[in-house]
Amino acid sequence: MEIQKVSYSQPAFKGNLGKQMTRLLPGSKAIERMQNLKWLEGEMGGILLTALGTGLVAPIFIGTNPFAKAPKNATPEEKKEVSRTKWYTAWRQPISAALAIMFQASALKPIDKFLDMIINNKEYSKNFNLHADHCEINSKSYVQTLVKKEMKEAGLKKPSWLAALSKGYQDTKTERRHFNDEFQKRVDQLTDSQIQAVADKFARTNTIKIGERTLDNPTLAELINKNIDNYIKSANDLKIDDDGLAFYSKRGQILTDNEKHLRDIFKDIPLEEIARETDETKLKNYYNNLETTLKNLISNEQNPDVKMLLQEILDKPEDLRARRIQRTLARIDNIKELVGKTYSQDDYIDVMKNRNGEISRKIVKLKLSKIEDVKQATTDSIKSAIENIKQHCSYDRNNKMLTSILHDTDVFDSNKSKLGKKIYKDITKLYKELMTNTYKPFNQAIKVLIGVCITLPITCNALNWVYPRFMEIFFPKLAGVKGGNK
């Protein structure tokens, strides 16, 4: 991760922000381990979990079913026969589960590959609903297939766990992690380049084109309004509530009262070197030295407020501590610039309330930028709406108040040209979501149809043939095989 130095207090990260935020949460290691089970969300996971329940849980309840029992005056032989029948039926479940995995799960990949081929290929995708046409912005699975092929041709292969026998477990684990990171980076880059290409055409023509077809204005107007809603939500997140006002006004007092001391204790920490370093070994040394420095500072610190600030920094993940120090010092400069050299809690509260007011003003203007009648939307109304969004999401860098609020935020920017490109790209991303949501029901319907008409009959016939033979071989008594029979 690369850390950028900024002049204000807002964070500016490069790298996988999701992973960074996950590491900040309680139980982050457990959360990261759970991410390894994310593949269970799909159809394959559903089949395996259903099979697990069918094969392991259902037999217990069938075999011990208290409601299926012999008549009151039944003989021991009759009671034994009822028990045998229950367990004979119970064993049908794991066999059924195994066959379901064999036939249904094995059919998923070929079906997905076939559907990927037709919805991502211009020759075939043009025959489908426009929102299911992925020829310009490929589906996630198709992009992954392209990247796997690209990496294979480049000689990049994921080390198998068998490699651990020769290289060692940790070395193999590191290589696999690097491969996964490189794979995900390439997937993200390819997807982003496709979205950017469509967004660039959108900026030139004020419409989204997929192949030779054009997205209708009403749908595009709805996407623009949804994008405005997303911007409004992000703007609302910048506001400071009453608890925040109390916290930040108190924190401002602590920072300004201890400014000289904080600058003294942080002056020898190589923040710039850490931000620029790319070598992992050297970066790790920086992190270790910074951790040792912080622990020493905490143990020697007499001021409880400064001690609290240092502990907060130490509690951050190692790759975020230097950034937190930079932000702490930048916040002091920011506060002094807004309220003057002499700090006053009342003045700072007024500044933050004014800050909320400026954000509210932006939100109102964004709401007024929405296209009121999406069904009657025209190219001109779409172009006008985007220009209004650009206008209301921009700010003048000479305005210290707005700059302190909006600098390095995701929605607002002082560069209108850069902001315009972002707006077109964000709307295009929303269209990609629409395509994904449109394709999912189609994909599932095809799989259900194939399952009902093909794989289910095959599975049932296979079960009827395999089950009695399996039971006769492995559980002859439950199958009712006489002692003299084979």
Side-chain angles (χ1 to χ4, degrees):
M1 183 193 75
E2 181 183 341
I3 308 170
Q4 289 180 304
K5 184 178 180 181
V6 296
S7 303
Y8 297 89
S9 56
Q10 285 80 4
F13 297 109
K14 282 187 177 181
N16 192 323
L17 184 58
K19 288 184 178 180
Q20 294 174 17
M21 296 304 293
T22 298
R23 290 199 298 270
L24 296 175
L25 298 173
S28 58
K29 291 185 178 179
I31 294 172
E32 289 179 357
R33 282 195 292 269
M34 290 293 290
Q35 290 292 323
N36 296 328
L37 301 176
K38 196 172 182 178
W39 60 276
L40 289 173
E41 290 178 350
E43 290 92 348
M44 179 68 76
I47 290 173
L48 293 178
L49 290 175
T50 301
L52 187 66
T54 301
L56 298 181
V57 180
I60 297 172
F61 292 95
I62 295 173
T64 59
N65 184 5
F67 300 103
K69 54 187 177 181
K72 188 175 181 179
N73 298 322
T75 63
E77 288 75 12
E78 289 174 329
K79 292 179 180 179
K80 188 175 181 180
E81 179 63 19
V82 169
S83 177
R84 183 194 68 80
T85 301
K86 287 196 294 184
W87 282 105
Y88 181 82
T89 306
W91 268 101
R92 187 180 179 90
Q93 302 308 307
I95 305 302
S96 174
L99 291 174
I101 294 174
M102 185 185 302
F103 290 106
Q104 294 179 29
S106 62
L108 285 180
K109 195 167 184 179
I111 294 172
D112 280 330
K113 280 188 171 293
F114 171 74
L115 293 176
D116 267 350
M117 180 191 71
I118 61 176
I119 68 163
N120 290 282
N121 187 305
K122 287 185 179 181
E123 295 300 316
Y124 306 112
S125 62
K126 63 185 179 182
N127 299 311
F128 292 89
N129 182 299
L130 176 62
H131 302 334
D133 186 346
H134 287 67
C135 69
E136 298 288 350
I137 304 176
N138 298 150
S139 63
K140 181 180 178 181
S141 54
Y142 192 72
V143 170
Q144 290 174 335
T145 300
L146 293 176
V147 171
K148 284 177 184 176
K149 183 179 178 181
E150 174 191 294
M151 293 181 72
K152 185 176 181 181
E153 290 174 351
L156 299 174
K157 295 182 180 180
K158 187 174 184 177
S160 67
W161 287 115
L162 293 175
L165 297 175
S166 58
K167 294 183 179 181
Y169 172 75
Q170 285 299 332
D171 290 341
T172 303
K173 184 179 179 181
T174 301
E175 287 183 18
R176 287 173 67 87
R177 188 180 73 249
H178 288 165
F179 178 90
N180 290 337
D181 290 344
E182 178 65 20
F183 172 75
Q184 190 57 51
K185 184 180 78 172
R186 294 191 183 207
V187 168
D188 293 341
Q189 287 174 342
L190 180 54
T191 301
D192 186 73
S193 66
Q194 292 179 347
I195 292 173
Q196 188 65 62
V198 174
D200 290 342
K201 290 181 185 177
F202 180 20
R204 293 193 300 268
T205 62
N206 290 300
T207 189
I208 291 178
K209 291 201 71 175
I210 302 297
E212 299 300 321
R213 293 184 288 178
T214 301
L215 181 64
D216 60 283
N217 286 333
T219 301
L220 184 52
E222 288 179 359
L223 294 175
I224 291 171
N225 285 351
K226 184 176 180 181
N227 191 55
I228 291 174
D229 287 334
N230 290 343
Y231 286 1
I232 289 172
K233 183 179 181 302
S234 296
N236 270 315
D237 290 341
L238 295 175
K239 286 186 175 181
I240 303 174
D241 59 18
D242 290 343
D243 290 338
L245 292 174
F247 173 81
Y248 287 117
S249 60
K250 183 178 179 181
R251 179 56 59 93
Q253 188 75 64
I254 293 172
L255 291 174
T256 52
D257 286 350
N258 296 283
E259 177 186 0
K260 185 178 183 304
H261 182 44
L262 288 170
R263 293 191 187 281
D264 286 341
I265 61 177
F266 290 146
K267 67 180 180 182
D268 294 327
I269 296 176
L271 300 176
E272 296 297 329
E273 287 85 343
I274 295 175
R276 290 193 301 265
E277 189 59 66
T278 57
D279 183 88
E280 288 192 18
T281 302
K282 292 182 179 178
L283 200 55
K284 189 67 177 177
N285 289 334
Y286 276 127
Y287 291 156
N288 291 337
N289 292 336
L290 179 55
E291 181 174 352
T292 301
T293 299
L294 288 170
K295 287 180 178 179
N296 290 336
L297 288 172
I298 291 171
S299 63
N300 296 324
E301 184 56 55
Q302 301 299 316
N303 186 317
D305 290 332
V306 174
K307 198 167 191 172
M308 174 192 67
L309 295 175
L310 293 171
Q311 187 62 52
E312 288 179 358
I313 295 170
L314 183 62
D315 290 341
K316 297 294 179 186
E318 63 178 14
D319 55 343
L320 299 181
R321 290 168 183 158
R323 175 62 194 152
R324 181 57 180 264
I325 294 172
Q326 286 182 313
R327 288 184 61 198
T328 299
L329 299 176
R331 187 178 292 277
I332 295 173
D333 294 333
N334 190 31
I335 292 170
K336 289 170 65 178
E337 189 172 6
L338 292 172
V339 300
K341 293 182 179 181
T342 303
Y343 180 81
S344 164
Q345 285 191 349
D346 288 337
D347 290 344
Y348 196 41
I349 290 172
D350 288 340
V351 166
M352 289 188 286
K353 285 184 175 180
N354 290 337
R355 177 187 194 277
N356 285 349
E358 292 294 338
I359 295 172
S360 295
R361 186 188 299 274
K362 289 284 186 184
I363 289 172
V364 170
K365 288 183 176 180
L366 282 171
K367 288 181 178 179
L368 294 173
S369 300
K370 282 190 173 184
I371 299 174
E372 292 185 8
D373 189 354
V374 295
K375 292 183 179 179
Q376 301 300 321
T378 64
T379 302
D380 288 338
S381 63
I382 287 170
K383 184 178 179 180
S384 176
I386 293 175
E387 285 300 319
N388 286 334
I389 298 171
K390 189 192 304 183
Q391 178 66 31
H392 302 321
C393 287
S394 64
Y395 63 91
D396 184 357
R397 287 191 68 88
N398 294 323
N399 185 322
K400 293 181 180 179
M401 168 65 73
L402 287 179
T403 302
S404 69
I405 305 168
L406 306 178
H407 180 72
D408 277 344
T409 56
D410 184 52
V411 172
F412 302 95
D413 204 300
S414 60
N415 186 326
K416 283 191 177 182
S417 176
K418 180 181 174 183
L419 184 59
K421 292 179 180 179
K422 170 186 163 48
I423 292 169
Y424 284 110
K425 190 172 183 179
D426 286 344
I427 296 171
T428 305
K429 286 179 180 179
L430 288 177
Y431 183 62
K432 182 182 185 301
E433 289 181 17
L434 175 62
M435 288 195 300
T436 301
N437 294 334
T438 302
Y439 173 64
K440 278 182 180 178
F442 168 74
N443 178 283
Q444 291 170 350
I446 293 295
K447 288 177 180 176
V448 168
L449 188 63
I450 292 175
V452 171
C453 298
I454 301 176
T455 57
L456 185 59
I458 292 174
T459 304
C460 290
N461 279 296
L463 178 63
N464 291 334
W465 188 88
V466 169
Y467 182 58
R469 289 164 175 77
F470 173 86
M471 294 301 290
E472 287 175 5
I473 294 172
F474 294 99
F475 301 97
K477 290 185 178 180
L478 290 179
V481 176
K482 302 297 182 182
N485 291 350
K486 182 177 178 180

